Amino acid sequence: MDRPDARELDCLTCGACCRTGHDGRILVPAEDIVRWRRIGRDDLAEQLQPGHFGEMAFATDDRGACVHLGIPGAPNACAIYDVRGTTCREFERGSWQCLEFRRDHGIDPRP
């Protein structure tokens, strides 16, 4: 199968990348924690779990999904999108990792 154009992928119908954190994989750099505390979002810093490489990571639910995945009416939307972490902001729609997560979750990348 040809690699899909990233513009063909709709993150709000997917959420696969946010469902991969069961063991501390969705890392949160220390700079994000400082930023959240600076803007009064201590709650985000307090909801973290130990992650890989000595960093902190987003907490997950019992299925391994980020605790911030889903809002009323949009199960794949990010509840903290405006202040999301660096790892999430830098994740590229349509990247090899994106396509791998989609495949692992049985999501066809074609519209």
Side-chain angles (χ1 to χ4, degrees), residues 3 6 87-99:
R3 183 175 171 160
T87 300
C88 305
R89 285 193 319 272
E90 292 180 352
F91 191 83
E92 291 186 45
R93 176 178 60 174
S95 67
W96 69 268
Q97 228 177 356
C98 168
L99 298 178

Side-chain angles (χ1 to χ4, degrees), residues 57-73:
F58 281 110
T60 56
D61 64 19
D62 58 353
R63 297 165 305 180
C66 177
V67 295
H68 303 293
L69 179 63
I71 61 173

Side-chain angles (χ1 to χ4, degrees), residues 15-44:
C17 58
C18 303
R19 299 181 200 289
T20 63
H22 60 87
D23 62 354
R25 292 184 193 186
I26 306 173
L27 298 177
V28 176
E31 296 80 19
D32 287 335
I33 298 168
V34 170
R35 176 173 53 95
W36 291 331
R37 291 195 187 283
R38 190 179 65 241
I39 64 171
R41 293 299 308 265
D42 292 347
D43 61 309
L44 297 178

